[in-house]
Amino acid sequence: MSFIRTNDNLPRPQVFESHAGSDILNRVVKRPMIGLGRDGRMLEMPGFSGTYASRGGQPVALGVVSNTYEVVQMSDLCASAERVMQDAFTPEQLESVEIRDSSAGSGAWVKRQYVVKAFEEALEYGNATARQIDVGTTVAATCSITTSYDGGSSTQLDIGTLDLVCQNGMTALSSMDWFRKRHTKTATVEVFEDWLTDLGPRFAAQVETMRAWSDTGLTWTQIEETIRELPSVSDKKAEKLLERAARECADRGFNVYALTSAFTFYSSHNSEEFPVRQTGNDNVATTLSDRQSEVTRWVQSAPFKQLLAA
């Protein structure tokens, strides 16, 4: 895999230009919180501000934050990421980029995922059971940017992979794969840029890990014991994960990658198997994001690591 730098005098790629008007890029402002008393007097809320976006010329309230809360504009984060990609990728690599936007809470939480299909690698399931099935898959690199404007979460960047066959996404296999910054005065766009420049090498390292997973065979007993010992997994969730793992092993063979595919199906889809409970607050995107963090904890947990060491 090669990563070729080009000059930055080329026009902005069409994929970036076509998503420049996305609602997730709306500018957000902080304003003092002021109410109106019964006698008509203005009531201030010292120490707190409201965050607002503008849509269709109208203000949209997003949340209440402290006065020290630093708004990190999603539009600035994405512009920075796209500058890094335009500097680091060839025109052909840029043409392969797909953009997937999501939001929740009327825009209080926003996410953009870049899928870089030019950085794709084939995985072959190398253990004995997989060879009998004679299958494999292809994964592409992803870079995701997430932030919020209601104090609910920090700004986060992570790299990962997307299985192009089943659309399961894996993120943050190690602490080197993600970067978080709280909304303080040091949370400027510049602190993220150095991390973004290493997207390609980080993806290559993650692929090597997944290739080792696809080569590591398992028994059903090992799969069952590992799932039941994962942190914060109820008996009910364990049963659902085992059902999914059986399907994945039927398709991919009995290997660690098949087990992790059961995890990433859970974190990537609002499905009949793993439905998102509807709260009426546009919560599907945030729930799947929380599930991705949960899966990251699973693959970094002692039961999973013991499985690899067995």
Side-chain angles (χ1 to χ4, degrees):
M1 182 183 300
S2 62
F3 308 98
I4 304 172
R5 298 189 64 84
T6 62
N7 66 66
D8 58 1
N9 296 319
L10 297 172
R12 191 181 189 196
Q14 176 62 28
V15 64
F16 300 154
E17 193 65 38
S18 64
H19 287 77
S22 172
D23 284 346
I24 73 160
L25 303 180
N26 289 340
R27 306 293 289 185
V28 174
V29 298
K30 282 197 312 182
R31 294 290 184 265
M33 296 292 294
I34 300 177
L36 188 64
R38 290 183 179 179
D39 57 0
R41 287 187 302 173
M42 303 300 289
L43 302 177
E44 296 185 1
M45 188 180 290
F48 293 91
S49 298
T51 52
Y52 301 86
S54 176
R55 296 202 189 97
Q58 297 297 318
V60 178
L62 302 178
V64 177
V65 297
S66 70
N67 286 343
T68 59
Y69 182 92
E70 191 72 23
V71 172
V72 181
Q73 302 290 349
M74 187 64 161
S75 57
D76 293 341
L77 291 168
C78 292
S80 177
E82 290 164 12
R83 282 196 304 270
V84 170
M85 283 187 272
Q86 192 165 358
D87 287 345
F89 297 174
T90 66
E92 292 75 19
Q93 289 169 338
L94 287 169
E95 287 179 1
S96 78
V97 174
E98 290 184 5
I99 291 178
R100 303 179 180 186
D101 291 342
S102 55
S103 65
S106 299
W109 182 94
V110 290
K111 176 179 180 179
R112 170 163 288 186
Q113 182 184 64
Y114 299 92
V115 181
V116 189
K117 290 189 174 180
F119 296 165
E120 64 177 36
E121 294 287 344
L123 297 179
E124 295 180 358
Y125 309 131
N127 59 87
T129 56
R131 281 198 296 272
Q132 293 170 5
I133 299 174
D134 193 25
V135 291
T137 193
T138 300
V139 294
T142 63
C143 174
S144 298
I145 302 173
T146 307
T147 196
S148 69
Y149 301 111
D150 61 356
S153 63
S154 59
T155 297
Q156 178 174 325
L157 283 72
D158 61 67
I159 65 99
T161 59
L162 179 71
D163 191 313
L164 297 179
V165 175
C166 64
Q167 297 296 298
N168 290 354
M170 172 67 79
T171 61
L173 299 186
S174 73
S175 61
M176 298 298 292
D177 294 341
W178 54 266
F179 182 87
R180 291 189 180 96
K181 192 71 174 176
R182 295 179 64 187
H183 290 266
T184 63
K185 64 181 180 180
T186 61
T188 61
V189 172
E190 288 74 22
V191 303
F192 298 101
E193 289 187 348
D194 289 343
W195 192 92
L196 282 166
T197 59
D198 290 334
L199 170 62
R202 291 177 194 276
F203 169 68
Q206 198 170 94
V207 166
E208 288 308 308
T209 296
M210 300 179 93
R211 189 167 279 135
W213 289 355
S214 66
D215 283 338
T216 303
L218 298 174
T219 65
W220 181 252
T221 298
Q222 288 176 300
I223 292 172
E224 185 171 16
E225 290 177 349
T226 299
I227 287 178
R228 294 193 184 283
E229 292 174 4
L230 291 172
S232 303
V233 172
S234 65
D235 290 342
K236 181 178 179 181
K237 184 182 290 185
E239 291 300 328
K240 290 291 186 181
L241 287 170
L242 285 167
E243 291 174 11
R244 188 67 214 179
R247 294 187 179 92
E248 296 292 346
C249 290
D251 292 339
R252 306 174 190 270
F254 284 78
N255 54 70
V256 174
Y257 187 82
L259 173 60
T260 59
S261 293
F263 299 166
T264 56
F265 182 91
Y266 160 74
S267 64
S268 300
H269 305 282
N270 177 17
S271 63
E272 291 185 2
E273 292 174 71
F274 302 104
V276 173
R277 182 180 299 174
Q278 300 298 317
T279 65
N281 193 32
D282 188 24
N283 64 314
V284 172
T286 50
T287 299
L288 293 181
S289 179
D290 290 342
R291 288 182 180 181
Q292 289 170 1
S293 297
E294 187 178 12
V295 168
T296 296
R297 292 193 295 272
W298 291 349
V299 299
Q300 293 175 355
S301 69
F304 187 82
K305 290 180 179 181
Q306 290 169 3
L307 185 69
L308 296 174

